[in-house]
């Protein structure tokens, strides 16, 4: 019985010391306006992650060897924080007691990597939906982006991080520069 207990303890300690799966660090760069575009507009900011799978990357090394990779941070809170900083720089005030609400829905965020012996193909997809609800009505719009690249050898975690961060930053720029969204918020808040 003692031998079994010692063996189980050694096995448990060995399992704790094995390296964990790599994780991606997602840190997009929101657009920071040099001059506020609006004054006195206040909104509540909310977000939802509607993806069916919570991992952010899938690495396919062939022979049915597929490895999902997660983000170090919660993607929903990371994107909500980036959008909040962007809106604040535009002059909006984010407050829980506002009459208007801007909701960010994450519909898709994925980096797919296919490895072969000497190269890799990396493709990224992102789809976000913004829902603006005010006492005067509702505005819904989707923003999406795709990117693809290939390279020699296998893709690193940094390659995957860069692909997703660049894609999120590009979509945040689209949100910032969207005249339809900005006009709706300014007219209806």
């Amino acid at each position: 019985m003692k031998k079994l207990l010692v063996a189980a303890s050694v096995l448990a300690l060995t399992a704790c010391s094995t390296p964990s799966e790599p994780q991606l660090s997602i840190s997009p760069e929101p657009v920071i306006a040099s001059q506020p575009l609006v004054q006195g507009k206040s909104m509540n900011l909310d977000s939802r992650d509607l993806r069916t799978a919570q991992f952010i990357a899938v690495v396919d090394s062939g022979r049915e060897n597929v490895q999902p990779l997660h983000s170090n941070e919660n993607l929903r809170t990371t994107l909500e924080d980036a959008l909040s900083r962007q809106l604040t720089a535009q002059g909006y005030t984010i407050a829980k007691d506002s009459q208007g609400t801007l909701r960010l829905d994450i519909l898709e965020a994925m980096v797919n990597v296919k490895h072969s012996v000497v190269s890799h193909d990396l493709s990224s997809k992102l789809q976000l939906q913004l829902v603006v609800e005010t006492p005067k009505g509702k505005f819904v719009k989707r923003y999406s982006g795709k990117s693809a690249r290939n390279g020699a050898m296998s893709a690193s975690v940094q390659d995957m991080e860069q692909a997703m961060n660049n894609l999120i930053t590009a979509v945040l720029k689209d949100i910032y520069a969207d005249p339809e969204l900005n006009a709706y918020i300014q007219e209806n808040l």
Side-chain angles (χ1 to χ4, degrees), residues 11-57:
L11 184 61
L13 288 174
T14 306
C16 291
S17 67
T18 58
S20 62
E21 298 286 327
Q23 292 187 331
L24 303 181
S25 179
I26 303 301
S27 54
E29 290 295 321
V31 178
I32 304 299
S34 57
Q35 293 285 340
L37 305 173
V38 296
Q39 293 293 329
K41 300 284 184 181
S42 168
M43 70 176 83
N44 180 25
L45 181 60
D46 193 17
S47 60
R48 300 185 306 182
D49 191 344
L50 302 176
R51 298 175 299 151
T52 54
Q54 296 304 305
F55 47 85
I56 196 139

Side-chain angles (χ1 to χ4, degrees), residues 53 55-58 108-112 123-126 164 167:
F55 47 85
I56 196 139
V58 175
E108 185 176 17
M110 182 66 65
V111 177
N112 286 304
S123 64
S124 307
K125 290 182 184 178
L126 178 69
M164 184 52 71
L167 193 54

Side-chain angles (χ1 to χ4, degrees), residues 45-182:
L45 181 60
D46 193 17
S47 60
R48 300 185 306 182
D49 191 344
L50 302 176
R51 298 175 299 151
T52 54
Q54 296 304 305
F55 47 85
I56 196 139
V58 175
V59 180
D60 183 353
S61 300
R63 295 187 182 167
E64 299 179 18
N65 185 11
V66 177
Q67 177 187 18
L69 301 176
H70 295 271
S71 173
N72 287 331
E73 321 65 27
N74 182 309
L75 184 63
R76 183 191 62 78
T77 56
T78 299
L79 289 175
E80 184 178 320
D81 178 59
L83 185 59
S84 174
R85 289 187 290 147
Q86 183 167 302
L87 291 169
T88 302
Q90 286 178 269
Y92 295 104
T93 303
I94 307 298
K96 291 283 183 197
D97 59 349
S98 298
Q99 289 186 351
T101 299
L102 173 67
R103 188 182 74 230
L104 168 67
D105 294 335
I106 304 169
L107 305 176
E108 185 176 17
M110 182 66 65
V111 177
N112 286 304
V113 181
K114 292 196 184 292
H115 284 288
S116 68
V117 177
V118 294
S119 67
H120 69 270
D121 292 320
L122 192 143
S123 64
S124 307
K125 290 182 184 178
L126 178 69
Q127 187 173 31
L128 305 177
Q129 176 175 274
L130 292 184
V131 180
V132 181
E133 293 186 73
T134 68
K136 298 178 183 178
K138 187 176 187 177
F139 175 87
V140 180
K141 189 164 183 181
R142 289 187 178 183
Y143 300 85
S144 60
K146 293 180 182 181
S147 69
R149 63 173 251 213
N150 49 29
M153 308 307 284
S154 59
S156 68
V157 170
Q158 291 78 18
D159 292 335
M160 293 178 244
E161 289 171 349
Q162 183 181 18
M164 184 52 71
N165 284 326
N166 289 347
L167 193 54
I168 294 171
T169 298
V171 171
L172 286 173
K173 284 180 183 174
D174 289 346
I175 292 170
Y176 174 81
D178 184 357
E180 191 179 13
L181 173 68
N182 289 318

